[in-house]
PDB file of all heavy atoms in Angstrom:
ATOM      1  N   VAL A  79     150.532 148.431  77.884  1.00  0.00           N
ATOM      2  CA  VAL A  79     150.993 149.642  78.490  1.00  0.00           C
ATOM      3  C   VAL A  79     150.046 150.215  79.527  1.00  0.00           C
ATOM      4  O   VAL A  79     150.466 150.842  80.562  1.00  0.00           O
ATOM      5  CB  VAL A  79     151.522 150.684  77.416  1.00  0.00           C
ATOM      6  CG1 VAL A  79     150.367 151.452  76.820  1.00  0.00           C
ATOM      7  CG2 VAL A  79     152.527 151.568  78.033  1.00  0.00           C
ATOM      8  N   ARG A  80     148.784 150.099  79.204  1.00  0.00           N
ATOM      9  CA  ARG A  80     147.769 150.568  80.146  1.00  0.00           C
ATOM     10  C   ARG A  80     146.641 149.516  80.353  1.00  0.00           C
ATOM     11  O   ARG A  80     146.490 148.700  79.477  1.00  0.00           O
ATOM     12  CB  ARG A  80     147.100 151.894  79.661  1.00  0.00           C
ATOM     13  CG  ARG A  80     147.936 153.089  79.874  1.00  0.00           C
ATOM     14  CD  ARG A  80     147.507 154.325  79.151  1.00  0.00           C
ATOM     15  NE  ARG A  80     147.625 154.219  77.724  1.00  0.00           N
ATOM     16  CZ  ARG A  80     148.757 154.487  77.066  1.00  0.00           C
ATOM     17  NH1 ARG A  80     149.790 154.974  77.733  1.00  0.00           N
ATOM     18  NH2 ARG A  80     148.787 154.375  75.784  1.00  0.00           N
ATOM     19  N   TYR A 192     156.570 153.764  86.255  1.00  0.00           N
ATOM     20  CA  TYR A 192     155.179 153.478  85.887  1.00  0.00           C
ATOM     21  C   TYR A 192     155.012 152.448  84.810  1.00  0.00           C
ATOM     22  O   TYR A 192     153.920 151.976  84.502  1.00  0.00           O
ATOM     23  CB  TYR A 192     154.463 154.716  85.424  1.00  0.00           C
ATOM     24  CG  TYR A 192     155.238 155.534  84.406  1.00  0.00           C
ATOM     25  CD1 TYR A 192     155.161 155.141  83.101  1.00  0.00           C
ATOM     26  CD2 TYR A 192     156.047 156.618  84.793  1.00  0.00           C
ATOM     27  CE1 TYR A 192     155.900 155.813  82.151  1.00  0.00           C
ATOM     28  CE2 TYR A 192     156.770 157.260  83.824  1.00  0.00           C
ATOM     29  CZ  TYR A 192     156.772 156.854  82.494  1.00  0.00           C
ATOM     30  OH  TYR A 192     157.480 157.445  81.574  1.00  0.00           O
ATOM     31  N   GLN A 230     162.321 152.503  71.762  1.00  0.00           N
ATOM     32  CA  GLN A 230     161.788 153.079  73.005  1.00  0.00           C
ATOM     33  C   GLN A 230     162.529 154.288  73.430  1.00  0.00           C
ATOM     34  O   GLN A 230     162.023 155.190  74.009  1.00  0.00           O
ATOM     35  CB  GLN A 230     161.718 152.087  74.094  1.00  0.00           C
ATOM     36  CG  GLN A 230     160.717 150.925  73.834  1.00  0.00           C
ATOM     37  CD  GLN A 230     159.274 151.432  73.686  1.00  0.00           C
ATOM     38  OE1 GLN A 230     158.979 152.607  73.868  1.00  0.00           O
ATOM     39  NE2 GLN A 230     158.405 150.604  73.201  1.00  0.00           N
ATOM     40  N   SER A 265     160.833 156.974  70.095  1.00  0.00           N
ATOM     41  CA  SER A 265     160.837 158.218  70.910  1.00  0.00           C
ATOM     42  C   SER A 265     162.230 158.571  71.391  1.00  0.00           C
ATOM     43  O   SER A 265     163.090 157.760  71.473  1.00  0.00           O
ATOM     44  CB  SER A 265     159.957 157.894  72.105  1.00  0.00           C
ATOM     45  OG  SER A 265     158.584 157.829  71.884  1.00  0.00           O
ATOM     46  N   PRO A 292     159.009 163.221  75.014  1.00  0.00           N
ATOM     47  CA  PRO A 292     158.043 162.916  76.046  1.00  0.00           C
ATOM     48  C   PRO A 292     158.485 163.566  77.395  1.00  0.00           C
ATOM     49  O   PRO A 292     159.532 163.167  77.940  1.00  0.00           O
ATOM     50  CB  PRO A 292     158.026 161.425  76.110  1.00  0.00           C
ATOM     51  CG  PRO A 292     158.475 160.980  74.789  1.00  0.00           C
ATOM     52  CD  PRO A 292     159.543 161.974  74.399  1.00  0.00           C
ATOM     53  N   GLN A 294     156.284 163.762  80.264  1.00  0.00           N
ATOM     54  CA  GLN A 294     155.533 163.004  81.278  1.00  0.00           C
ATOM     55  C   GLN A 294     155.027 163.862  82.395  1.00  0.00           C
ATOM     56  O   GLN A 294     153.824 163.727  82.718  1.00  0.00           O
ATOM     57  CB  GLN A 294     156.407 161.852  81.873  1.00  0.00           C
ATOM     58  CG  GLN A 294     157.124 161.009  80.862  1.00  0.00           C
ATOM     59  CD  GLN A 294     156.234 160.217  79.877  1.00  0.00           C
ATOM     60  OE1 GLN A 294     154.982 160.324  79.975  1.00  0.00           O
ATOM     61  NE2 GLN A 294     156.840 159.530  78.911  1.00  0.00           N
ATOM     62  N   ARG A 306     162.754 159.283  85.732  1.00  0.00           N
ATOM     63  CA  ARG A 306     162.995 159.836  84.388  1.00  0.00           C
ATOM     64  C   ARG A 306     164.377 160.328  84.189  1.00  0.00           C
ATOM     65  O   ARG A 306     164.905 160.427  83.113  1.00  0.00           O
ATOM     66  CB  ARG A 306     161.985 160.878  84.000  1.00  0.00           C
ATOM     67  CG  ARG A 306     160.543 160.360  83.829  1.00  0.00           C
ATOM     68  CD  ARG A 306     160.452 159.499  82.645  1.00  0.00           C
ATOM     69  NE  ARG A 306     160.427 160.237  81.410  1.00  0.00           N
ATOM     70  CZ  ARG A 306     160.362 159.706  80.153  1.00  0.00           C
ATOM     71  NH1 ARG A 306     160.350 158.399  80.022  1.00  0.00           N
ATOM     72  NH2 ARG A 306     160.308 160.479  79.120  1.00  0.00           N
ATOM     73  N   ASP A 332     154.441 163.378  75.307  1.00  0.00           N
ATOM     74  CA  ASP A 332     153.556 162.478  76.069  1.00  0.00           C
ATOM     75  C   ASP A 332     153.467 162.998  77.471  1.00  0.00           C
ATOM     76  O   ASP A 332     154.538 163.420  78.036  1.00  0.00           O
ATOM     77  CB  ASP A 332     154.193 161.081  76.216  1.00  0.00           C
ATOM     78  CG  ASP A 332     154.261 160.264  74.911  1.00  0.00           C
ATOM     79  OD1 ASP A 332     153.735 160.777  73.870  1.00  0.00           O
ATOM     80  OD2 ASP A 332     154.809 159.197  74.870  1.00  0.00           O
ATOM     81  N   ILE A 334     151.654 162.226  81.416  1.00  0.00           N
ATOM     82  CA  ILE A 334     150.885 161.284  82.280  1.00  0.00           C
ATOM     83  C   ILE A 334     150.219 162.222  83.379  1.00  0.00           C
ATOM     84  O   ILE A 334     150.929 162.995  84.072  1.00  0.00           O
ATOM     85  CB  ILE A 334     151.744 160.246  82.987  1.00  0.00           C
ATOM     86  CG1 ILE A 334     152.292 159.299  81.890  1.00  0.00           C
ATOM     87  CG2 ILE A 334     150.981 159.471  84.016  1.00  0.00           C
ATOM     88  CD1 ILE A 334     153.192 158.228  82.473  1.00  0.00           C
ATOM     89  N   PHE A 363     147.775 160.787  78.949  1.00  0.00           N
ATOM     90  CA  PHE A 363     147.269 159.480  79.454  1.00  0.00           C
ATOM     91  C   PHE A 363     147.025 159.623  80.931  1.00  0.00           C
ATOM     92  O   PHE A 363     147.855 160.239  81.669  1.00  0.00           O
ATOM     93  CB  PHE A 363     148.283 158.323  79.302  1.00  0.00           C
ATOM     94  CG  PHE A 363     148.824 158.270  77.867  1.00  0.00           C
ATOM     95  CD1 PHE A 363     150.091 158.803  77.580  1.00  0.00           C
ATOM     96  CD2 PHE A 363     148.081 157.678  76.912  1.00  0.00           C
ATOM     97  CE1 PHE A 363     150.605 158.758  76.322  1.00  0.00           C
ATOM     98  CE2 PHE A 363     148.594 157.599  75.567  1.00  0.00           C
ATOM     99  CZ  PHE A 363     149.842 158.178  75.274  1.00  0.00           C
ATOM    100  N   ILE A 364     145.933 159.052  81.453  1.00  0.00           N
ATOM    101  CA  ILE A 364     145.746 159.033  82.883  1.00  0.00           C
ATOM    102  C   ILE A 364     146.588 157.850  83.350  1.00  0.00           C
ATOM    103  O   ILE A 364     146.535 156.786  82.705  1.00  0.00           O
ATOM    104  CB  ILE A 364     144.223 158.833  83.202  1.00  0.00           C
ATOM    105  CG1 ILE A 364     143.444 160.082  82.866  1.00  0.00           C
ATOM    106  CG2 ILE A 364     144.008 158.472  84.725  1.00  0.00           C
ATOM    107  CD1 ILE A 364     141.999 160.158  83.335  1.00  0.00           C
ATOM    108  N   TYR A 365     147.281 158.034  84.365  1.00  0.00           N
ATOM    109  CA  TYR A 365     148.114 156.976  84.952  1.00  0.00           C
ATOM    110  C   TYR A 365     147.359 155.702  85.144  1.00  0.00           C
ATOM    111  O   TYR A 365     146.256 155.718  85.614  1.00  0.00           O
ATOM    112  CB  TYR A 365     148.769 157.483  86.286  1.00  0.00           C
ATOM    113  CG  TYR A 365     149.390 156.335  87.010  1.00  0.00           C
ATOM    114  CD1 TYR A 365     150.694 155.826  86.677  1.00  0.00           C
ATOM    115  CD2 TYR A 365     148.779 155.653  88.109  1.00  0.00           C
ATOM    116  CE1 TYR A 365     151.265 154.795  87.353  1.00  0.00           C
ATOM    117  CE2 TYR A 365     149.353 154.657  88.770  1.00  0.00           C
ATOM    118  CZ  TYR A 365     150.573 154.172  88.341  1.00  0.00           C
ATOM    119  OH  TYR A 365     151.153 153.154  88.976  1.00  0.00           O
ATOM    120  N   SER A 366     147.954 154.649  84.762  1.00  0.00           N
ATOM    121  CA  SER A 366     147.378 153.291  84.873  1.00  0.00           C
ATOM    122  C   SER A 366     148.339 152.419  85.649  1.00  0.00           C
ATOM    123  O   SER A 366     149.507 152.315  85.280  1.00  0.00           O
ATOM    124  CB  SER A 366     147.101 152.754  83.445  1.00  0.00           C
ATOM    125  OG  SER A 366     146.724 151.437  83.475  1.00  0.00           O
ATOM    126  N   ARG A 368     150.353 149.395  86.800  1.00  0.00           N
ATOM    127  CA  ARG A 368     150.763 148.177  86.089  1.00  0.00           C
ATOM    128  C   ARG A 368     151.452 147.266  87.147  1.00  0.00           C
ATOM    129  O   ARG A 368     152.492 147.593  87.652  1.00  0.00           O
ATOM    130  CB  ARG A 368     151.753 148.495  84.982  1.00  0.00           C
ATOM    131  CG  ARG A 368     151.324 149.475  83.909  1.00  0.00           C
ATOM    132  CD  ARG A 368     150.338 148.885  82.912  1.00  0.00           C
ATOM    133  NE  ARG A 368     149.095 148.400  83.502  1.00  0.00           N
ATOM    134  CZ  ARG A 368     148.388 147.371  82.953  1.00  0.00           C
ATOM    135  NH1 ARG A 368     148.803 146.745  81.905  1.00  0.00           N
ATOM    136  NH2 ARG A 368     147.295 146.967  83.540  1.00  0.00           N
TER     137      ARG A 368
HETATM  138  N1  LIG B 237     159.767 155.025  75.453  1.00  0.00           N
HETATM  139  C1  LIG B 237     158.885 156.100  75.263  1.00  0.00           C
HETATM  140  C2  LIG B 237     159.352 157.219  76.154  1.00  0.00           C
HETATM  141  O1  LIG B 237     160.028 157.003  77.148  1.00  0.00           O
HETATM  142  O2  LIG B 237     158.915 158.280  75.885  1.00  0.00           O
HETATM  143  C3  LIG B 237     157.494 155.802  75.599  1.00  0.00           C
HETATM  144  C4  LIG B 237     156.882 154.550  75.227  1.00  0.00           C
HETATM  145  S1  LIG B 237     155.321 154.270  76.048  1.00  0.00           S
HETATM  146  C5  LIG B 237     154.920 152.899  75.142  1.00  0.00           C
HETATM  147  C6  LIG B 237     154.319 155.558  75.441  1.00  0.00           C
HETATM  148  C7  LIG B 237     153.737 156.402  76.536  1.00  0.00           C
HETATM  149  O3  LIG B 237     152.807 155.644  77.312  1.00  0.00           O
HETATM  150  C8  LIG B 237     154.674 156.927  77.536  1.00  0.00           C
HETATM  151  O4  LIG B 237     155.415 158.001  77.115  1.00  0.00           O
HETATM  152  C9  LIG B 237     153.811 157.315  78.693  1.00  0.00           C
HETATM  153  O5  LIG B 237     153.345 158.620  78.595  1.00  0.00           O
HETATM  154  C10 LIG B 237     152.626 156.289  78.513  1.00  0.00           C
HETATM  155  N2  LIG B 237     152.600 155.397  79.630  1.00  0.00           N
HETATM  156  C11 LIG B 237     153.517 154.354  79.807  1.00  0.00           C
HETATM  157  N3  LIG B 237     153.100 153.619  80.978  1.00  0.00           N
HETATM  158  C12 LIG B 237     151.973 154.244  81.367  1.00  0.00           C
HETATM  159  C13 LIG B 237     151.109 153.943  82.572  1.00  0.00           C
HETATM  160  N4  LIG B 237     151.391 153.005  83.364  1.00  0.00           N
HETATM  161  N5  LIG B 237     150.001 154.763  82.679  1.00  0.00           N
HETATM  162  C14 LIG B 237     149.773 155.760  81.778  1.00  0.00           C
HETATM  163  N6  LIG B 237     150.535 156.085  80.760  1.00  0.00           N
HETATM  164  C15 LIG B 237     151.692 155.307  80.515  1.00  0.00           C
END
Side-chain angles (χ1 to χ4, degrees):
V79 81
R80 283 170 288 276
Y192 50 81
Q230 293 300 350
S265 284
Q294 312 300 356
R306 289 291 285 178
D332 291 353
I334 295 182
F363 312 98
I364 291 187
Y365 167 77
S366 171
R368 304 284 60 209

